[in-house]
Amino acid sequence: MVTLDRKDLAKYPFLKEAQSYIGSISNSLDQFLHSPAGRLALKEAITTLEHALSFAGKEIPPLPDIPKDADAATTIIASYPLSRILVSCAQDRVFIDRLVRYQAWLVYAYVQEENPDVKRFIRKSIGLPDTENALSVVDYIPVAARLPEEKWRLINRVVIKGKVHISPDEFDEIIRERLRYIMAKNLPLKVPSSICELVSPAVERIKAEWQKKMLEEFGQVEESAFPPCMQAILGAIAGNGHLTHMARFAISSFLHNIGMENTRIIELYGSVPNFDLKKTMYQVEHITGRGGIGTEYTSPLCATMKTHGICVHPDSLCKKVTHPLTYYKQKKRDMSRKEKSSGDIPAQSSNQNPNRKEGEQSGGDTPDCVPSRADGDHKEQQGT
């Protein structure tokens, strides 16, 4: 029999024991949010989300201190459901994906040094065998689908009688990804409108911080810094040219990744023959993770663009990069340096269509960013 103290519940707030404890400290969520303890927990939830949105998902994040003080530990436990309420009220799947990925990685960090009995308890609580180092194929596939390394592909695993063998040193990763899967599956929550209204200042703060981060990383959308492939696709759109599915995916994901709002991306397709607004909205929202159940996609690697025949007119900078996003960032830096050295007034940046008439306004919202901005991490990342 495993006995969990309040510090354990603060490390593993997804456990039903933690949620039962939180449910016992207040008669209602509304009442709790209006209390001093609720305000502290909401502040902690905002901090968690800020960390989650900045987390790249490639290595263990810095672990927050788990206080010995009982009230402080309670604040951390309570912040877990509140963070889930915030991303649900935000109505943005990317926020959900980032949050659960971050929380799953925290658990991954904790369990590696955990007492064996507690670790077995955690494994069992999320539907994993508590001792056996094997997993049924049915349970393995949705977990392994989130792991990019080839070693996790089913074809590369030992499967005996419908069970996939997993070495002891790999099982912590299975715990992490299983938890991501479960957390994502249960979000977004159906939060009463009155609660969403109550936490709306916190939601708006998170959105503003995210937009600020996007601007710091990519700045305003600068069309003259687009790589040749993306300029060619935009040219085809403007010229009523034929677009392959991959070309549509590449330009939509690229524009989303650098900060263009969805409405502006959709407007770009307005001149395409047989433009279907409803279909285009669905496709763009699916690519950008805004469709409610999807994941956020990163624009394809240069190698993928070449494979599909949409890497065109490569220039000297193309030879130095392996991803269109890297090209864009490098080109913007080069342009900025030239402007500073020549003393020219910087060109105005915009989110506008290449065919926009002078005087028309463009959207300024920046959407959610992709899991990575470095060349080595441009695989699709499915958060939870």
Side-chain angles (χ1 to χ4, degrees):
M1 181 69 178
V2 174
T3 301
L4 302 176
D5 58 25
R6 208 174 304 189
K7 188 172 182 179
D8 291 323
L9 299 183
K11 289 194 293 184
Y12 310 116
F14 60 89
L15 293 173
K16 65 179 181 180
E17 290 79 5
Q19 298 311 299
S20 296
Y21 169 71
I22 290 301
S24 69
I25 65 176
S26 180
N27 293 327
S28 71
L29 178 58
D30 183 273
Q31 183 184 62
F32 179 68
L33 286 170
H34 280 99
S35 69
R39 287 191 287 271
L40 284 174
L42 183 60
K43 183 177 180 181
E44 182 69 24
I46 293 171
T47 299
T48 296
L49 271 168
E50 289 173 343
H51 290 321
L53 293 173
S54 300
F55 177 53
K58 296 193 296 181
E59 57 186 22
I60 293 175
L63 292 178
D65 293 330
I66 303 297
K68 295 181 180 180
D69 178 72
D71 289 339
T74 297
T75 296
I76 293 176
I77 300 168
S79 72
Y80 173 79
L82 290 183
S83 66
R84 293 166 68 81
I85 287 171
L86 289 177
V87 296
S88 297
C89 291
Q91 298 182 339
D92 196 316
R93 187 71 201 184
V94 176
F95 282 15
I96 291 173
D97 291 346
R98 285 290 182 120
L99 173 65
V100 297
R101 183 182 63 182
Y102 174 70
Q103 291 175 328
W105 272 83
L106 288 180
V107 172
Y108 172 65
Y110 288 130
V111 299
Q112 291 184 76
E113 305 297 329
E114 190 54 84
N115 176 290
D117 290 337
V118 175
K119 183 183 288 192
R120 283 193 291 270
F121 180 84
I122 291 170
R123 284 172 58 160
K124 189 174 182 179
S125 72
I126 58 175
L128 295 174
D130 54 354
T131 55
E132 184 184 11
N133 289 316
L135 202 59
S136 71
V137 172
V138 173
D139 289 333
Y140 178 82
I141 289 175
V143 173
R146 300 164 183 273
L147 294 163
E149 296 90 350
E150 285 300 312
K151 71 174 184 176
W152 295 107
R153 305 288 76 80
L154 192 59
I155 195 173
N156 297 324
R157 310 299 300 188
V158 176
V159 183
I160 302 175
K161 295 182 178 180
K163 290 192 174 183
V164 183
H165 175 75
I166 301 164
S167 64
D169 62 324
E170 293 176 328
F171 220 97
D172 287 349
E173 291 181 80
I174 294 295
I175 293 174
R176 182 188 72 211
E177 299 309 315
R178 171 69 175 175
L179 189 55
R180 284 181 68 188
Y181 172 71
I182 293 172
M183 286 177 170
K185 188 177 180 180
N186 295 328
L187 288 173
L189 304 171
K190 293 182 179 179
V191 184
S193 58
S194 59
I195 297 298
C196 284
E197 184 177 351
L198 187 59
V199 300
S200 61
V203 172
E204 292 307 313
R205 172 179 167 179
I206 291 297
K207 288 182 176 180
E209 287 294 322
W210 187 240
Q211 291 173 1
K212 180 180 177 182
K213 176 179 170 57
M214 285 289 294
L215 287 174
E216 288 174 350
E217 183 158 8
F218 280 108
Q220 297 289 344
V221 174
E222 184 63 69
E223 293 163 9
S224 59
F226 285 7
C229 56
M230 299 303 171
Q231 291 189 21
I233 296 173
L234 285 177
I237 294 174
N240 300 331
H242 171 71
L243 288 178
T244 65
H245 174 75
M246 177 54 72
R248 287 173 178 264
F249 172 80
I251 191 63
S252 297
S253 55
F254 174 81
L255 293 174
H256 166 68
N257 296 160
I258 65 173
M260 185 177 285
E261 63 175 355
N262 280 10
T263 54
R264 293 298 312 122
I265 298 173
I266 293 167
E267 286 175 9
L268 288 175
Y269 291 103
S271 61
V272 174
N274 301 319
F275 171 71
D276 185 317
L277 176 60
K278 186 175 181 180
K279 185 177 180 180
T280 303
M281 286 178 63
Y282 171 81
Q283 292 173 339
V284 171
E285 288 179 350
H286 173 73
I287 291 169
T288 61
R290 299 283 178 108
I293 59 173
T295 186
E296 183 186 21
Y297 291 88
T298 312
S299 55
L301 288 156
C302 294
T304 304
M305 301 287 283
K306 291 177 183 177
T307 299
H308 288 270
I310 49 178
C311 172
V312 295
H313 312 307
D315 58 21
S316 58
L317 180 54
C318 290
K319 299 176 182 179
K320 302 176 183 179
V321 301
T322 59
H323 199 282
L325 290 175
T326 310
Y327 181 105
Y328 179 71
K329 291 178 74 173
Q330 183 61 53
K331 187 68 174 287
K332 286 196 74 174
R333 283 195 293 265
D334 292 345
M335 291 169 59
S336 179
R337 282 195 290 264
K338 288 180 181 178
E339 288 167 355
K340 290 178 180 179
S341 62
S342 65
D344 292 339
I345 298 175
Q348 184 178 1
S349 300
S350 71
N351 283 352
Q352 64 185 21
N353 185 315
N355 294 324
R356 185 186 306 283
K357 295 179 182 179
E358 184 178 356
E360 286 186 312
Q361 297 297 314
S362 63
D365 292 343
T366 52
D368 319 290
C369 93
V370 292
S372 172
R373 304 300 187 186
D375 256 352
D377 187 33
H378 286 289
K379 294 180 181 289
E380 172 195 339
Q381 301 236 1
Q382 185 170 354
T384 57

